Amino acid sequence: MAKRLDIKDLNLYYNKFHAVRDVTLQVHARSVTAFIGPSGCGKSTVLRALNRMHEVVPGSRVEGSVLLDGENVYAPGVDPVQVRRTIGMVFQRANPFPTMSIRDNVVAGLKLAGVKDKKRLEEVTERSLRGANLWEEVKDRLNKPGGGLSGGQQQRLCIARAIAVQPDVLLMDEPCSALDPISTLAIEDLIAELKKDYTIVIVTHNMQQAARVSDQTAFFNLPAVGEPGQLVEIGETGKIFSNPSQKATEDYISGRFG
Amino acid sequence: MRTDTADIERPASAPAFQHLGLGRRIKNHTATVLFGLAFVVAVIPLLWVLFTLVRRGLAPMLSTEWWTHSFYGLLPNDPGGGIYHALVGTLEQTLVCAVIAVPLGVTVGIFLIEYGRNSKLARTTTFMVDILSGLPSIVAGLFIYALWITTFGFDRSGFAVSLSLVLLMLPVVVRVTETMLTIVPDELREASYALGVPKWKTILKVVLPTSLSGIITGIILGLARIMGETAPLLILVGYSRAINFNLFDGPMASLPLTVYTARKTSTEAGEYRMWGAALTLVLLIMLINLLATLLSKLFSVKTR
């Protein structure tokens, strides 16, 4: 369960475009780390590099290392499929599988990995949906398509799907940006619950959200147009928001940016 | 030109919504009439064809003999007879064509979208498929004649027809698969990868089911299209008035070939056979289109 991530000298490219330069940071186990920063600063790119989703984009390239409890996910011979099984991900837009029922969506990861034991799938469905605070709302219509749920419910369904495979780390890429305040609150409460068992990294544009849910915050910035994004500073969330050590961070947080 | 001050000073007496001017009303009516006319002009030939077909071909449809017998042993002037032999031929030839073309075409489509994206091989393949999709059916027939019959030394047969139909159907299947796979959002693929599902399984269990409805519809419509192809039939197989189940041996009838052959018999019986075969072919294609709609509904993505 919950593992630590050490990111060392991470450089990310799309073809010849250098997207992110020299990121080094630690993500602690059983805590929430928030990535904040302006659009295009590379925070989502860094997040996607953590479970080797960056390389899904044609022409992308990674340099540096990401250690999961000391084990480099970019070591030669490491299967990206295995990495993604250990480091799960929730996306900006809820993306339940449209051809599958709510139940099948939740256990998709297990089913597609070849698990057939009905009793186990049943248990995982209930446990994951309870874990995502969705069980009470959908328990009577598990066989209905996942696409019929509301936006907030769909996003919680995606979280249930991600935790159903019991990853060590959960990555969230702006999980609330398309949701209304009530659904956002539901998901923030859920994040607070989940961090008891999971290591969570969340990218967010909402600074209040970062302040509310995270234990440590990393601020990314673009030094100038056309240059790669960089990690400006990382620290305890309270400190970053009250007394950041960099001027750029203070400007961004106080809204005096750009 | 700025008229802000003038606007403010003007009394607000003029109505906000003006009545339609005469010029605009005339334009509107002219356009309505023109569009209506275009519709009528487009629909008339369609209805005419259907009307003629049904009027001339209805008699055979109503007899049981038409559906259960062949023309075997009938002289040019003999009434009656049935289309069974040609139905068998058409169905067998298209079915075998589909068995070859569908797996091949779908695989190529999957390669182009899921694996090949922008590789040199994929670009070349797309280019070839484009060329192939413009291939005249008579050329497809000639090519198979040169390859299968002249070079390999096989006899003319129903199977040779199937092969030429494969050439015509393959680009349709590839194109349909490509289009339908492109519509599947990348987010679904990423969602699957993020769960630790390998790429091949993502394609098989997430991408294909999502696009299945469209692929099936496209394939069936393609099938309906090649059913009426006539040119390759004229070159690759002889006409038989008897029932022949064997694709690999001897002459074999099919619906388009029957229409063509019966036209050369200028008797009342010949007319009966020709229009009967023609209407049968249209009915068959209609039935298949209906099936496509049905299957598309069955496999479509549901939200409730």
Side-chain angles (χ1 to χ4, degrees):
Chain A
M1 290 305 278
K3 288 183 179 171
R4 176 173 47 91
L5 279 172
D6 291 291
I7 301 157
K8 284 182 185 157
D9 302 322
L10 198 64
N11 278 277
L12 302 168
Y13 304 85
Y14 293 106
N15 291 313
K16 281 183 184 140
F17 175 64
H18 195 167
V20 177
R21 180 194 286 157
D22 296 335
V23 171
T24 299
L25 61 86
Q26 278 88 43
V27 171
H28 307 302
R30 288 194 186 77
S31 73
V32 178
T33 302
F35 288 1
I36 59 169
S39 295
C41 69
K43 51 196 188 311
S44 287
T45 309
V46 171
L47 190 79
R48 290 169 58 91
L50 302 186
N51 68 341
R52 298 192 63 169
M53 287 294 285
H54 177 62
E55 65 205 65
V56 172
V57 181
S60 58
R61 201 154 50 81
V62 180
E63 281 169 14
S65 54
V66 175
L67 307 179
L68 181 67
D69 265 8
E71 214 182 320
N72 188 1
V73 304
Y74 283 103
V78 170
D79 181 3
V81 170
Q82 292 296 334
V83 172
R84 292 173 201 144
R85 234 168 245 175
T86 339
I87 307 179
M89 191 161 200
V90 176
F91 297 84
Q92 185 171 358
R93 267 181 51 193
N95 49 5
F97 299 127
T99 52
M100 296 183 193
S101 65
I102 292 173
R103 183 200 314 272
D104 284 346
N105 258 292
V106 175
V107 292
L110 293 179
K111 263 193 163 173
L112 295 182
V115 176
K116 291 216 174 65
D117 182 356
K118 276 217 175 112
K119 217 175 132 226
R120 188 174 155 211
L121 292 176
E122 205 62 37
E123 281 168 16
V124 171
T125 308
E126 180 167 348
R127 195 191 61 224
S128 310
L129 284 172
R130 280 189 191 282
N133 286 334
L134 191 60
W135 175 252
E136 292 301 327
E137 291 159 63
V138 300
K139 64 180 178 191
D140 300 322
R141 45 171 174 162
L142 290 175
N143 291 321
K144 296 277 163 60
L149 297 175
S150 77
Q153 289 173 327
Q154 285 191 18
Q155 192 61 297
R156 276 180 284 152
L157 178 61
C158 292
I159 294 176
R161 180 176 69 183
I163 58 179
V165 292
Q166 296 193 291
D168 295 328
V169 180
L170 199 55
L171 308 177
M172 298 179 148
D173 191 356
E174 298 182 42
C176 305
S177 65
L179 304 181
D180 67 278
I182 294 173
S183 307
T184 302
L185 189 67
I187 290 191
E188 286 181 9
D189 288 346
L190 177 56
I191 292 172
E193 289 276 315
L194 289 172
K195 79 171 181 183
K196 291 176 195 149
D197 301 312
Y198 298 93
T199 304
I200 295 174
V201 185
I202 178 171
V203 166
T204 178
H205 269 296
N206 181 335
M207 279 181 282
Q208 285 88 342
Q209 180 170 65
R212 281 194 299 263
V213 302
S214 71
D215 300 300
Q216 64 167 355
T217 300
F219 172 61
F220 291 80
N221 201 2
L222 281 172
V225 177
E227 278 190 50
Q230 285 176 343
L231 174 67
V232 176
E233 70 175 307
I234 177 166
E236 211 183 296
T237 300
K239 183 178 173 294
I240 292 281
F241 279 92
S242 59
N243 185 22
S245 53
Q246 300 288 322
K247 178 93 172 44
T249 315
E250 197 185 335
D251 285 352
Y252 184 73
I253 284 166
S254 58
R256 261 185 284 124
F257 183 71
Chain B
M1 194 175 75
R2 290 178 64 90
T3 55
D4 299 16
T5 5
D7 274 349
I8 291 169
E9 282 162 5
R10 201 174 58 196
S13 61
F17 303 107
Q18 307 278 334
H19 283 288
L20 221 51
L22 183 67
R24 275 194 59 194
R25 257 184 292 168
I26 291 175
K27 275 187 219 156
N28 184 28
H29 281 296
T30 322
T32 311
V33 169
L34 279 178
F35 276 84
L37 264 175
F39 170 75
V40 171
V41 168
V43 160
I44 283 176
L46 277 176
L47 288 178
W48 200 344
V49 167
L50 265 179
F51 175 73
T52 313
L53 259 178
V54 172
R55 190 168 60 92
R56 307 241 188 166
L58 191 64
M61 300 298 109
L62 302 175
S63 83
T64 9
E65 197 190 354
W66 180 259
W67 302 103
T68 53
H69 286 68
S70 69
F71 295 153
Y72 186 64
L74 292 182
L75 295 173
N77 273 320
D78 289 346
I83 202 69
Y84 187 66
H85 60 311
L87 262 177
V88 167
T90 290
L91 288 177
E92 276 191 20
Q93 285 163 13
T94 28
L95 204 71
V96 167
C97 161
V99 166
I100 301 172
V102 171
L104 206 60
V106 171
T107 320
V108 171
I110 291 175
F111 164 75
L112 288 177
I113 296 302
E114 302 294 333
Y115 291 96
R117 283 196 184 182
N118 288 326
S119 71
K120 204 164 187 186
L121 182 60
R123 277 204 303 268
T124 321
T125 313
T126 309
F127 182 61
M128 293 304 201
V129 170
D130 278 347
I131 295 181
L132 203 59
S133 64
L135 189 74
S137 56
I138 186 97
V139 179
L142 278 178
F143 172 74
I144 295 299
Y145 191 91
L147 184 79
W148 189 251
I149 293 160
T150 313
T151 312
F152 291 164
F154 292 99
D155 284 332
R156 299 202 311 158
S157 66
F159 185 68
V161 173
S162 295
L163 286 181
S164 69
L165 294 182
V166 166
L167 285 182
L168 298 171
M169 186 166 179
L170 198 59
V172 178
V173 180
V174 173
R175 188 39 61 78
V176 163
T177 312
E178 259 188 291
T179 318
M180 291 303 146
L181 291 182
T182 323
I183 297 175
V184 177
D186 272 340
E187 288 151 28
L188 287 185
R189 296 183 179 91
E190 292 196 342
S192 177
Y193 297 153
L195 290 173
V197 180
K199 185 167 185 173
W200 67 271
K201 228 170 192 170
T202 300
I203 294 169
L204 210 63
K205 300 281 186 170
V206 175
V207 180
L208 276 182
T210 309
S211 51
L212 196 62
S213 161
I215 294 180
I216 290 182
T217 315
I219 286 174
I220 294 185
L221 293 181
L223 215 60
R225 187 80 201 77
I226 59 156
M227 246 176 201
E229 282 298 348
T230 315
L233 303 169
L234 302 177
I235 304 174
L236 292 170
V237 71
Y239 177 69
S240 158
R241 280 182 294 167
I243 299 164
N244 176 12
F245 286 104
N246 193 345
L247 272 175
F248 295 92
D249 190 32
M252 188 181 211
S254 51
L255 290 168
L257 201 54
T258 307
V259 176
Y260 178 80
T261 315
R263 195 189 61 86
K264 291 187 285 190
T265 316
S266 52
T267 60
E268 206 174 305
E271 292 252 307
Y272 173 89
R273 293 171 201 169
M274 177 178 82
W275 287 106
L279 184 56
T280 309
L281 182 58
V282 171
L283 281 180
L284 186 62
I285 290 173
M286 251 171 60
L287 211 69
I288 287 174
N289 285 354
L290 222 63
L291 185 75
T293 323
L294 213 73
L295 283 177
S296 135
K297 283 230 175 78
L298 200 67
F299 286 105
S300 69
V301 170
K302 297 165 189 74
T303 50
R304 51 186 72 252

